[in-house]
């Protein structure tokens, strides 16, 4: 009886293996679906990681925590703020950030750089990403009136190992104004490259803030048409653009 | 006997496989739906944020391309424009040709989205706000927008942006501008405003597209509450506030836009 049933079992196994194709196909199908879904979940996780990274950058930057800020960059990462030029590598970035104030926020200073309105795109392979952010700015320093600022971040990110880092941070301030006067009456210029600690490269794009109305180029494609978002910059007689 | 056992085992084996298969497929279908929902919510947020980036810089053609063919737009009290062509005409006529004019700032920063997607994954909704920082002053439009997924792409099917508060640079403690209305500037809308409401210093609660997430109950603002102010009902301040921002006939007076 035992023998008989083991023969039967062997037969059943043989039968199922001769009829192997449908279940095996289904099995392959299941594996393929799980693999595809894992990819999609990983891209969502990548996006959240990039959004957190950039938000953290803002919280550190607000308080002048320059070492913490610089450590968010990839090796060889770049930092560019307005017309100050491009600084490359963590050590150079950490020193350049001292141009924005002392390490740790000094008394009577406000250095808020809010990171808002994120549009993050992760590359299909999950190794790189881009992000556009609305950068509202609130500044004050001793002896000066408070300042409002606006601008756009267009950044790139890279995943090294399993950690997302900033590959390039490019903040395009587009306007600064005196808190009391407002945009219609006060249009403050941007700082140029520092003579004390010159950048590694000149500004990658030459533009000026308000009264010009510069449009920081879009890294991402039009979400509906899928086409590149092409914009025409306003004429600017000083920059020499028609 | 042997034959019977063999048949039993064989059928059992294939039944188990089929059952496991069906269950795995079912679970994967559910997983797919949940991942798709997260992706959909992301994409809807990105469409709304991109809308804001286009408003900031007067990119009206790109903006109109965010709309479905029959999408509608209603901003302030201006009335309803139907179809992406009219959306484009409205923007280019009311606010000038495509481009960012020298000397001005018109930031409509898009914050605080609450996004939902229908169970069938074809319709989406977003409540959000624009924080307006412009040469003319400050503004707070609120959005209750609808989206449609066509060929895998989310588009705006209804953009509805009633105003909460507009003021010049002096601030809302000193000054408040009232709503727009259909004939305030060209072009005329296809349909009158979907609702008449009051802006600050009165207020209007834009209906929520979602129920309270904790109680699950739908909150419906009472029409009687519109125009209430910062004092409890029945107090003289609140009574007076009901008249602020209204003419005798109950309609809303309109202030001139700031000259600066």
């Amino acid at each position: 009886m035992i023998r008989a049933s083991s023969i039967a079992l062997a037969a059943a196994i043989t039968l199922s293996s001769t009829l192997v194709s449908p279940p095996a196909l289904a099995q392959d199908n299941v594996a393929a679906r799980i693999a595809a879904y894992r990819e999609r979940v990983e891209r969502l996780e990548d996006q959240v990681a990039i959004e957190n990274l950039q938000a953290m950058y803002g919280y550190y930057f607000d308080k002048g925590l320059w070492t913490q800020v610089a450590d968010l960059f990839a090796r060889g990462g770049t930092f560019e703020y307005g017309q100050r030029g491009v600084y490359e590598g963590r050590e150079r970035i950490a020193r350049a950030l001292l141009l924005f104030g002392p390490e740790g926020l000094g008394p009577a200073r406000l250095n808020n750089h809010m990171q808002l309105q994120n549009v993050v795109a992760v590359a299909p392979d999950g190794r790189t990403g881009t992000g556009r952010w609305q950068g509202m700015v609130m500044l004050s320093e001793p002896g000066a009136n408070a300042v409002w600022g606006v601008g756009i971040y267009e950044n790139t990110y890279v995943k090294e190992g399993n950690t997302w880092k900033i590959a390039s941070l490019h903040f395009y301030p587009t306007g600064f104004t005196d808190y009391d006067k407002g945009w219609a009456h006060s249009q403050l210029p941007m700082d140029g490259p520092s003579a004390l600690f010159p950048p590694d490269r000149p500004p990658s794009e030459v533009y000026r803030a308000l009264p010009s109305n510069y449009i920081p180029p879009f890294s991402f494609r039009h979400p509906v048409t899928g086409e590149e978002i092409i914009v025409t910059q306003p004429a600017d007689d000083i920059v020499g653009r028609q | 006997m042997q034959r019977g056992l063999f048949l039993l085992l064989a059928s059992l084996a294939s039944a188990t496989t089929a059952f496991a298969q069906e269950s795995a497929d079912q679970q994967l279908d559910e997983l797919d739906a949940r991942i798709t929902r997260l992706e959909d919510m992301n994409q809807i947020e990105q469409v709304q944020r991109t809308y804001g980036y286009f408003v900031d810089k007067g990119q009206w053609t790109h903006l109109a391309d965010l709309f479905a063919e029959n999408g509608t737009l209603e901003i302030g009290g201006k009335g309803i424009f139907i179809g992406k062509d009219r959306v484009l005409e409205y923007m280019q006529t009311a606010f000038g040709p495509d481009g960012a004019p020298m000397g001005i700032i018109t930031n409509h920063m898009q914050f605080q989205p609450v996004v939902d997607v229908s169970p069938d994954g074809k319709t989406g909704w977003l409540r959000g706000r624009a924080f307006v920082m412009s040469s003319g002053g400050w503004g707070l439009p609120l959005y209750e927008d609808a989206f449609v997924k066509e060929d895998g792409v989310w588009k705006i099917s209804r953009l509805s942006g009633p105003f909460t508060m507009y003021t010049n640079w002096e601030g809302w403690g000193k000054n408040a501008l009232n709503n727009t209305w259909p004939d305030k500037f060209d072009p005329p809308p296809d349909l009158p405003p979907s609702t008449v409401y009051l802006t600050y210093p009165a207020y209007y609660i834009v209906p929520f597209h979602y129920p309270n997430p904790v109680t699950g109950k739908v909150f419906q603002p009472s029409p009687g509450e519109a125009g209430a102010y910062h004092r409890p009902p029945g107090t003289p301040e609140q009574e007076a506030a009901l008249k602020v921002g209204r003419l005798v006939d109950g309609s809303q007076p309109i202030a001139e836009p700031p000259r600066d």
Side-chain angles (χ1 to χ4, degrees), chain A residues 128-148:
Chain A
T128 60
T130 62
R132 187 180 184 90
W133 301 76
Q134 184 81 253
M136 214 197 300
V137 176
M138 299 166 95
L139 302 175
S140 79
E141 55 184 287
N145 213 358
V147 167
W148 276 111

Side-chain angles (χ1 to χ4, degrees), chain B residues 78-96:
Chain B
K78 177 71 182 153
I80 301 172
F81 293 84
I82 303 172
K84 61 194 285 191
D85 293 343
R86 287 239 68 208
V87 168
L88 182 60
E89 182 194 339
Y90 168 53
M91 291 299 185
Q92 291 182 333
T93 307
F95 309 112

Side-chain angles (χ1 to χ4, degrees), chain A residues 1 3-9 11-12 15-16 23 26-27 29-31 33-34 37-38 40-41 44 47 51 116-121 132-137 148-153 174-175 177-185 187 208 210-216 218 220 222-225 228-237, chain B residues 1-3 5-7 9-11 13-14 17 21 24-39 42-43 45-54 56-59 61-68 84 98-111 131 133-138 153-156 169 260:
Chain A
M1 185 65 204
R3 188 161 181 247
S5 62
S6 64
I7 290 167
L9 189 63
L15 184 71
S16 71
Q27 202 57 49
N29 184 38
V30 167
R33 289 184 74 183
I34 289 174
Y37 297 167
R38 181 180 291 125
R40 288 164 66 193
V41 170
L44 288 167
Q47 181 185 329
E51 288 172 353
L116 307 162
Q117 203 176 337
N118 41 301
V119 177
V120 168
R132 187 180 184 90
W133 301 76
Q134 184 81 253
M136 214 197 300
V137 176
W148 276 111
V150 292
I152 295 289
Y153 292 83
T174 51
T177 189
D178 181 287
Y179 178 90
D180 292 324
K181 294 177 183 163
W183 306 104
H185 302 292
Q187 299 161 348
R208 61 178 169 143
L210 198 72
S212 186
N213 201 342
Y214 183 72
I215 308 170
F218 288 78
F220 61 92
H222 193 288
V224 171
T225 67
E228 199 183 332
I229 299 171
I230 296 168
V231 296
T232 305
Q233 297 297 343
D236 191 315
D237 48 4
Chain B
M1 178 69 192
Q2 279 186 18
R3 187 181 156 80
L5 185 64
F6 168 77
L7 283 176
L9 278 168
S11 64
S14 76
T17 313
Q21 195 55 51
D25 280 340
Q26 212 167 18
Q27 288 184 53
L28 285 166
D29 286 346
E30 285 167 16
L31 196 56
D32 186 12
R34 288 167 64 186
I35 298 171
T36 302
R37 184 166 168 276
L38 290 170
E39 292 168 340
N42 257 323
Q43 283 158 22
E45 283 183 358
Q46 299 206 347
V47 169
Q48 182 72 33
R49 289 173 179 149
T50 304
Y51 169 89
Y53 284 128
F54 290 157
D56 293 353
K57 298 296 180 180
Q59 300 299 309
T61 303
H62 290 316
L63 181 145
D65 281 341
L66 293 172
F67 284 75
K84 61 194 285 191
D98 283 19
M102 283 285 285
I104 65 159
I105 166 177
T106 57
N107 270 20
H108 283 58
M109 300 180 271
Q110 303 291 314
F111 299 158
F131 185 94
M133 198 184 213
S134 76
S135 305
W138 306 94
V153 176
W154 284 99
K155 304 172 185 178
I156 300 171
W169 195 261
D260 290 334

Side-chain angles (χ1 to χ4, degrees), chain A residues 8 18 26 29 40 43 48 57 77 96 109 130 169 182 199 210 228 238:
Chain A
T18 53
N29 184 38
R40 288 164 66 193
R43 294 301 81 78
V48 172
Y57 165 92
R109 281 177 179 271
T130 62
L169 183 132
L210 198 72
E228 199 183 332
I238 294 183

Side-chain angles (χ1 to χ4, degrees), chain A residues 30 33 48 52 54 79 84 89 97 118 124 136 156 176 191 194 214 221-222:
Chain A
V30 167
R33 289 184 74 183
V48 172
N52 280 351
Q54 188 64 36
F79 171 83
R84 289 174 175 273
L97 289 167
N118 41 301
M136 214 197 300
T156 64
F176 289 106
D191 290 306
S194 169
Y214 183 72
R221 289 178 170 266
H222 193 288

